Amino acid sequence: MDTLTGLLEGPKARGAFLLKSVFNPPWSLRVEDRAPLSVVTMVHGDAWLIPDHGEPVRIRPGDVAVVRGPECYTVADTPDTPVQITVGPEQRCSTQDGEDVTETMALGVRTWGAGFQDAGSAVMLSGTYQAPSEIGRRLLNALPTILVRPAEAADNTLVTLLTSEISKDEPGQEIVLDRLLDLLLIGVLRTWLAAPGSGAPAWYRAQSDPVVGPALRLLHENPAYGWTVAELALKVGVSRASLARRFTEVVGEAPVAYLTGWRLALASDLLREPDATVATVARRVGYGSAFALSTAFKRVRGVSPQEFRSGAGPAAAPEAAQPPRTVVLPGS
């Protein structure tokens, strides 16, 4: 199992908020929903993504933008257009005067915005992950605030399909839309991680290292195993000292520290399952007891597993380095 597969096979949209928005210029929408992750693409017309901290980024039809929360941002026809509507928690929309227009601007199933559409209208699709799986937090924390991939053939197909499906109200429609959103997201992430100089995290780039790459795959394939540096080194075919030194140089942390972080990420994901107990999760991720997992969880995350499950306290340790604010990937 490669590192990206390990990170993305668990996280899946679960009832993501998807919407087709129609605007007539001038228009400006401020997003303050505090969502952890959103995907935005234009079907018709251009738009500008304007982060609170950073330069505006233009997105054209077929471009796919990933916006990492919880920072607020604005989407508008031009960077200078004053904000007209603010999107708050639970996707409630209000004018600058405080009027709630969530319902009055609804245009049908998952469609919202101006009351008419013509050749000059901007049509935007957006998908908001309400609570991304904790297993992807290591990747999420490494993402830039705004990541844009220019239009590609694969994206165009998905955007066309999403445009067709988003306004339907049929059995199982939520699952169809969730999976389409996942595919769009994964496509952008794969391009970002593969692009030279894009700021991809060290633990991902380490996959190609002849020593560290095989060790990472072993840890991801069987995180519950009682790995030691000596056994990892034996499997990889190098000395213990060589593996420890190389792993730390390439990944930025020692093998045991990396394994602990990966186990706790897995545990965090499993703890969200309604029938999971701390004891069963502990066994699945390589801890001998609920007490052992709770001790490690509290030490690294700052909260107990029970507190984490209830939403109390911080969710993850901070990253050592801040990711870049904005990345626009090269076109195909």
Side-chain angles (χ1 to χ4, degrees), residues 16 18 48 52 67 83 99 105 145 149 166 193 200 231 236 273-274 285 289 300:
L18 286 109
W48 288 84
D52 280 3
V67 185
V83 172
E99 179 188 359
M105 292 184 67
T145 305
R149 180 167 80 166
I166 201 166
L193 291 167
E231 186 164 6
V236 174
E273 296 180 0
V285 300
S289 65
V300 175

Side-chain angles (χ1 to χ4, degrees), residues 4-15:
L4 182 60
T5 299
L7 288 165
L8 294 180
E9 71 168 358
K12 294 182 178 67
R14 296 178 177 90

Side-chain angles (χ1 to χ4, degrees), residues 12-13 35 49 57 78 80 85 100 132 134-135 146 148 171 174 185 191 200-201 226 241-242 264 270 276 280 296 299:
K12 294 182 178 67
L49 276 172
V57 181
T78 74
D80 300 326
I85 295 173
D100 191 325
E134 181 70 14
I135 196 172
I146 294 177
V148 179
E174 185 176 280
L185 172 63
T191 303
S242 295
L264 294 182
L270 293 170
T280 57
R299 182 180 70 251

